[in-house]
Amino acid sequence: PEDLGRLLNSFHEICGSIVKRFGGCIAKDLGDGISAYFGWPESHEQDAERAVVAALEIIKSVKAISNPARTPIQVHVGIATGDVV
């Protein structure tokens, strides 16, 4: 349990810093995932592009997390665009 906790903490720290660096906002920590907004609370012209670049950076960065099981960590990304009400 301690190893999993450290792994998840590293994951959330990496994802949070990348999302913030590209102008996004973490909406929820979902256990082994996150939900992030781009374009809220402040919108930018390239919010969709920022989300994609952040996602690619997350995929690359998560591979560097030290895993006690010695297996590569994989991450999957989904991106939705459009108006949110």
Side-chain angles (χ1 to χ4, degrees):
E2 292 85 9
D3 289 341
L4 178 60
R6 283 190 289 273
L7 189 127
L8 289 174
N9 285 339
S10 295
F11 171 78
H12 286 285
E13 287 174 19
I14 288 170
C15 292
S17 67
I18 291 171
V19 167
K20 288 177 185 171
R21 184 167 20 119
F22 287 98
C25 175
I26 299 292
K28 288 185 183 180
D29 286 334
L30 305 167
D32 64 347
I34 63 164
S35 176
Y37 297 126
F38 287 80
W40 181 89
E42 183 180 339
S43 64
H44 307 92
E45 280 296 314
Q46 304 88 7
D47 283 319
E49 182 179 333
R50 290 173 187 229
V52 171
V53 174
L56 293 172
E57 184 72 22
I58 287 170
I59 292 168
K60 183 176 83 174
S61 297
V62 164
K63 292 179 183 179
I65 295 175
S66 175
N67 183 3
R70 301 191 198 304
T71 57
I73 297 173
Q74 299 178 8
V75 64
H76 301 273
V77 176
I79 296 177
T81 61
D83 295 334
V84 176
V85 178

